[in-house]
Amino acid sequence: MPFHDRKDAGERLARALQMFRDDRPVVIALPRGGVPIGAEVARALDAPLELLIVRKIGVPRQPELAMGAVVDGSEPVTLRNEDVIAMARVSEAEFAAIRDRELAEIDRRRQRYLGQRPFPVLADRTLIVVDDGIATGATIRVAVRALRLKHPRRIVVAVPVAALDVLRTLRGEADDVICLETHEAFGAIGLYYDDFGQVGDDAVLQALASAPSEKRS
């Protein structure tokens, strides 16, 4: 059953995440598509919404095919898909050039969305990592690995829809995986939405502004 749009998917996903409400979770959304969904989850759980800016490293001349992913930080974390790199015959120089281009885009988005806003302390917290779907899993896996370095108590991956084989791999990396729909023959994420329009920068900023803020004791 397709989702109407990301708002609909977020509302439905939030209902499946109510068990974590008393954990005082932090919702970590992956821009840009995961942000409207993360905003609905954050509102339903009365949890702060934060961003983890991750970029897919696409194959040259076939950028939708992920040969890895990268997430910004004091020490950027890179995940390589060696099978795809070998199949596409991508050189180390080509991989590095595309990775660096994606890091530059991460820096642009961080400045646009967050400015000087500090990243929260995530040690000993329950983190709910949200995206609008998982096809190859490269982006979400590098997100989980980067967040492990923050020493959280638990990492929960939560998505409306995902490829079944990727979920099996993720269950070995995240502490919990919540997914409303799984499909063996997956295809593109947009196939599972009636409205899968692009999420712009303004929509990201609006979602951040409307989400609950962190409660300080």
Side-chain angles (χ1 to χ4, degrees):
M1 172 179 230
F3 303 98
H4 174 61
D5 56 15
R6 290 181 179 88
K7 184 177 188 298
D8 172 47
E11 290 172 347
R12 291 160 64 179
L13 187 61
R15 290 195 287 271
L17 292 165
Q18 285 297 318
M19 69 188 83
F20 299 109
R21 184 183 177 91
D22 292 340
D23 288 355
R24 294 182 57 249
V26 178
V27 177
I28 309 287
L30 304 188
R32 286 180 290 201
V35 177
I37 293 175
E40 296 300 327
V41 172
R43 276 193 287 272
L45 301 184
D46 195 23
L49 175 65
E50 299 291 343
L51 304 186
L52 188 67
I53 305 176
V54 184
R55 294 287 293 175
K56 176 169 57 181
I57 303 173
V59 169
R61 298 170 296 280
Q62 197 176 355
E64 289 305 311
L65 179 60
M67 60 179 177
V70 62
V71 58
D72 196 21
S74 56
E75 295 183 8
V77 177
T78 302
L79 177 69
R80 295 167 58 98
N81 189 335
E82 298 292 353
D83 291 342
V84 173
I85 292 170
M87 179 192 69
R89 299 180 180 178
V90 176
S91 70
E92 287 302 311
E94 287 177 309
F95 184 92
I98 297 170
R99 178 203 61 208
D100 291 348
R101 188 174 68 214
E102 297 302 342
L103 278 170
E105 175 60 14
I106 284 173
D107 185 64
R108 183 199 73 81
R109 292 190 181 196
R110 176 162 40 83
Q111 295 299 324
R112 172 79 167 114
Y113 303 152
L114 303 173
Q116 301 303 311
R117 173 176 167 174
F119 204 70
V121 175
L122 301 178
D124 201 34
R125 298 294 298 271
T126 292
L127 311 182
I128 300 178
V129 187
V130 178
D131 206 352
D132 53 14
I134 304 174
T136 68
T139 301
I140 203 85
R141 286 170 59 205
V142 77
V144 170
R145 292 182 184 185
L147 289 169
R148 282 287 179 210
L149 302 177
K150 307 290 184 182
H151 307 291
R153 177 159 50 94
R154 176 188 296 167
I155 296 179
V156 180
V157 170
V159 292
V161 62
L164 185 58
D165 59 337
V166 174
L167 282 188
R168 294 191 187 107
T169 301
L170 271 174
R171 288 192 173 100
E173 300 198 27
D175 299 300
D176 293 282
V177 177
I178 305 296
C179 181
L180 303 182
E181 289 190 12
T182 60
H183 296 270
E184 190 79 50
F186 190 74
I189 295 171
L191 295 174
Y192 305 97
Y193 288 81
D194 295 327
D195 178 358
F196 197 66
Q198 184 176 0
V199 178
D201 285 351
D202 288 344
V204 172
L205 291 170
Q206 183 179 4
L208 285 171
S210 64
S213 58
E214 179 71 288
K215 294 179 174 60
R216 307 292 180 185
S217 57

